[in-house]
Amino acid sequence: MEILSRLESLKQSIAAINDINPVGRVTSVKGTSVEAAGIIDFVSIGSQVKIKKSSGHFKDSFAEVIAINNDRAVLMPYGDTQGIGSGSNVFVSGSENVIWPDHSWKGRILNAFAKPIDDAGLLKNGTGSYSLTSLPLNPQKRKLLGPKIDLGVKALDCFTSCCQGQRMGIFAGSGVGKSVLISMLTKFSKTDIKVIGLIGERGREVQEFIQEYLGEEGLKNAVIVVATSDESALMRKRAAYLTMTIAEYFRDQGEEVLCIMDSLTRLAMAQREIGLTAGEPPTTKGYTPSVFSELPRLLERAGPGIDKGNITGLFTVLVDGDDQNEPISDAVRSIIDGHIVLDRSIHERGRYPSVDVLRSVSRALPKCNSDFENKVIQRAKRLLSTYNDMSELIRIGAYKKGSDVMVDEAIKYYPSIEEFLSQKPTEYSRAEDSFQKLAEILGVQ
């Protein structure tokens, strides 16, 4: 009894000890970086701190430790640096990069800190925590890809079939219809839930996407995470990781999740800004080494689950200067399981969506299709390829009918195939019906 009494006394004494709240001081402010002394023993990379701004006109700023330089911690604020001066107090925060997602989050619109921005009340926290920076699942325990998903877009369902747990990239230059295609996939694809990350999106397009493209019915079955282009690089990066973490939660509930992220390029730009601020050396086109390590770390978290539930990923890549081989496009293409290419020349001639089916690839093919479906696709691609090879001669009238049977056939079927590939943003096409219609056009039985 005496031992138990002493243990209880010791427990009470420990509980009475005040928490240590280390306070540091700002030593310098350069651009978007802040250096602080006095907290080096209490923080690590990724720790969050609060900076007490010198002027009372500005709200206190939260920041993240992005580098440690000798006896100084390099901080990057989630907001701007206005009001931060030399000598400003820096308080180490006990916050962790974790969230407590709940099934009731469906239909909500969140910011990068998982706070609601839709005026629909407070969020209910779940019982389990999820880390924003969790590791991908053990590849040895993951399932194989599941059955095909009906995406509702003819060009994709027929030529770049997507399976449950597959990760696909949508590669396009600016103004080629990438956002409209994303809206079609959001509305039409058949999955249990859609988790959508709008990373670095234009502020005016957020409401347009939600109200016009997604709609009230679509929002009921979705969670949207928003970080607009005016927000800091840290907020944009955090929004991408939050999107994936929410998708992981619903996957663990046994649901089929479609994770849409627009765009990976803006995430890479945010990480480049963070890396340069932390002192990393710039490499190709100014991108820092951490950009090319962060991309696989994030993308590998999508994919097949271990038991029930998968995360099917659709990630857009804003191609710089329409160069499909620029650094981010190259890096993403090497990680994911297929790519959808939107072509400016197709867009300019008025065919929407402007998917170049010959340059688009799904690595789930041909296994995920039946023999009949593969036969239809091969015939269509052969005809399109033949026409493209001879298009210049056909256009100037240098090709004479009857010179080549395959070319004659390609000329005959090309207009019908082009018409088939065209689809209005409000038009849904069931995958099975799309294959059947294409087979009828080509005369395949």
Side-chain angles (χ1 to χ4, degrees):
M1 292 296 292
E2 185 179 352
I3 294 175
L4 291 175
S5 177
R6 287 183 179 180
L7 286 174
E8 183 62 29
S9 176
L10 179 61
K11 181 180 176 181
Q12 292 176 1
S13 299
I14 293 173
I17 297 174
N18 293 325
D19 293 334
I20 297 174
N21 294 312
V23 180
R25 301 273 181 180
V26 171
T27 58
S28 70
V29 181
K30 298 177 183 177
T32 56
S33 71
V34 177
E35 286 194 1
I39 59 172
I40 199 72
D41 295 328
F42 305 96
V43 297
S44 57
I45 300 298
S47 296
Q48 294 182 9
V49 301
K50 183 172 77 170
I51 304 174
K52 183 78 175 176
K53 294 191 175 180
S54 304
S55 172
H57 298 291
F58 300 101
K59 291 183 179 179
D60 295 343
S61 178
F62 283 92
E64 187 174 304
V65 178
I66 61 170
I68 294 175
N69 185 11
N70 296 325
D71 61 340
R72 300 286 191 271
V74 181
L75 316 174
M76 193 172 189
Y78 287 107
D80 57 46
T81 56
Q82 290 190 45
I84 300 175
S86 180
S88 294
N89 287 337
V90 179
F91 300 90
V92 177
S93 171
S95 302
E96 299 179 5
N97 287 320
V98 295
I99 59 170
W100 289 265
D102 187 75
H103 202 268
S104 62
W105 288 20
K106 278 188 179 183
R108 302 303 302 269
I109 305 167
L110 316 176
N111 67 9
F113 280 99
K115 302 298 182 185
I117 55 174
D118 54 5
D119 297 326
L122 297 174
L123 285 179
K124 177 185 175 183
N125 283 338
T127 55
S129 63
Y130 277 72
S131 171
L132 294 186
T133 56
S134 63
L135 295 175
L137 296 176
N138 185 336
Q140 288 292 92
K141 296 182 179 180
R142 277 184 155 171
K143 300 177 297 184
L144 298 177
L145 294 179
K148 281 194 298 185
I149 296 175
D150 183 354
L151 298 176
V153 180
K154 292 182 286 185
L156 305 188
D157 282 326
C158 290
F159 291 92
T160 57
S161 300
C162 182
C163 296
Q164 292 175 356
Q166 192 170 349
R167 299 162 304 165
M168 298 280 283
I170 300 174
F171 295 75
S174 57
V176 187
K178 176 170 40 51
S179 297
V180 177
L181 179 58
I182 282 291
S183 73
M184 294 172 71
L185 294 169
T186 303
K187 280 190 296 186
F188 302 145
S189 54
K190 303 302 180 185
T191 56
D192 295 328
I193 184 171
K194 291 137 189 173
V195 182
I196 304 162
L198 303 178
I199 315 302
E201 189 60 88
R202 302 174 185 90
R204 70 161 186 84
E205 288 188 345
V206 174
Q207 281 295 87
E208 182 180 308
F209 178 84
I210 295 167
Q211 293 184 11
E212 295 186 13
Y213 296 156
L214 192 58
E216 188 175 338
E217 284 301 312
L219 182 59
K220 288 180 181 178
N221 200 37
V223 179
I224 300 178
V225 179
V226 177
T228 53
S229 59
D230 61 301
E231 295 188 71
S232 69
L234 277 176
M235 291 289 278
R236 282 174 271 148
K237 176 184 175 181
R238 189 181 177 90
Y241 278 83
L242 175 62
T243 301
M244 188 62 71
T245 306
I246 295 173
E248 288 174 331
Y249 164 76
F250 284 103
R251 176 203 63 198
D252 292 347
Q253 307 308 303
E255 299 196 40
E256 289 299 328
V257 183
L258 178 63
C259 180
I260 297 176
M261 205 172 292
D262 184 16
S263 71
L264 288 182
T265 305
R266 296 190 184 109
L267 168 63
M269 289 177 175
Q271 183 58 42
R272 176 174 62 183
E273 185 178 335
I274 295 168
L276 291 173
T277 302
E280 288 186 66
T283 56
T284 310
K285 289 200 172 181
Y287 288 107
T288 56
S290 63
V291 172
F292 301 101
S293 62
E294 288 288 339
L295 285 173
R297 191 175 296 138
L298 177 68
L299 296 178
E300 285 293 344
R301 290 168 63 180
I306 294 175
D307 297 315
K308 293 181 179 179
N310 305 285
I311 299 176
T312 304
L314 291 173
F315 308 100
T316 68
V317 178
L318 183 62
V319 178
D320 189 12
D322 288 342
D323 178 11
Q324 294 290 336
N325 296 316
E326 56 94 25
I328 301 304
S329 299
D330 246 357
V332 173
R333 196 163 42 238
S334 68
I335 301 166
I336 56 178
D337 310 315
H339 50 275
I340 299 161
V341 177
L342 304 188
D343 188 86
R344 191 173 297 278
S345 63
I346 296 175
H347 178 82
E348 288 171 349
R349 69 172 183 254
R351 197 251 281 167
Y352 308 101
S354 54
V355 178
D356 188 334
V357 296
L358 294 177
R359 295 165 65 195
S360 301
V361 174
S362 170
R363 293 193 176 103
L365 292 174
K367 290 183 179 180
C368 72
N369 281 345
S370 66
D371 292 340
F372 171 74
E373 290 169 339
N374 285 325
K375 185 178 178 182
V376 172
I377 293 171
Q378 288 167 7
R379 177 160 170 74
K381 283 190 171 183
R382 191 159 54 244
L383 291 169
L384 287 172
S385 179
T386 301
Y387 187 91
N388 283 356
D389 289 343
M390 300 295 291
S391 60
E392 289 297 325
L393 293 177
I394 296 169
R395 195 173 293 114
I396 64 175
Y399 173 76
K400 292 183 180 180
K401 187 178 180 180
S403 301
D404 188 297
V405 175
M406 192 64 192
V407 176
D408 290 343
E409 206 173 11
I411 293 172
K412 175 185 174 182
Y413 287 110
Y414 182 78
S416 299
I417 298 173
E418 279 288 289
E419 184 180 352
F420 167 81
L421 292 173
S422 181
Q423 186 173 342
K424 295 178 181 178
T426 55
E427 176 190 350
Y428 164 69
S429 180
R430 200 165 66 105
E432 291 181 11
D433 296 339
S434 298
F435 266 110
Q436 193 59 44
K437 186 174 181 181
L438 183 58
E440 291 173 3
I441 291 171
L442 302 177
V444 178
Q445 296 180 350

